[in-house]
Amino acid sequence: MHELLMILLIIVSIALITVVLLQSGKSAGLSGAISGGAEQLFGKQKARGVDLVLHRVTIVLSVLFFVLAIAVTKV
């Protein structure tokens, strides 16, 4: 059981890294990091199309990653 969970954790980890790297940056530079974070916090920028799908897949994979990581430590 432990080996199966470890294999699933590795697969989810690689998929999560891949999905995060596929996402496009919202803004560039230091000024973009300051103002872009506020815009995203207050919901002025909405994700559409492929960005929306990647955003949702990232959320699902990150939750699955944490659940598998906790499950591996309990077994």
Side-chain angles (χ1 to χ4, degrees), residues 5-48:
L5 288 175
M6 285 298 294
I7 291 170
L8 286 174
L9 184 62
I10 292 169
I11 292 171
V12 169
S13 300
I14 293 170
L16 184 60
I17 290 169
T18 305
V19 170
V20 167
L21 289 176
L22 285 175
Q23 292 180 4
S24 61
K26 301 296 180 208
S27 55
L30 183 59
S31 63
I34 294 171
S35 65
E39 288 178 6
Q40 190 169 7
L41 178 64
F42 297 115
K44 292 183 181 176
Q45 293 179 342
K46 298 288 183 182
R48 287 197 165 60

Side-chain angles (χ1 to χ4, degrees), residues 47-64:
R48 287 197 165 60
V50 176
D51 287 334
L52 179 63
V53 172
L54 288 174
H55 179 72
R56 289 182 179 166
V57 170
T58 303
I59 292 172
V60 170
L61 286 174
S62 61
V63 169
L64 190 58

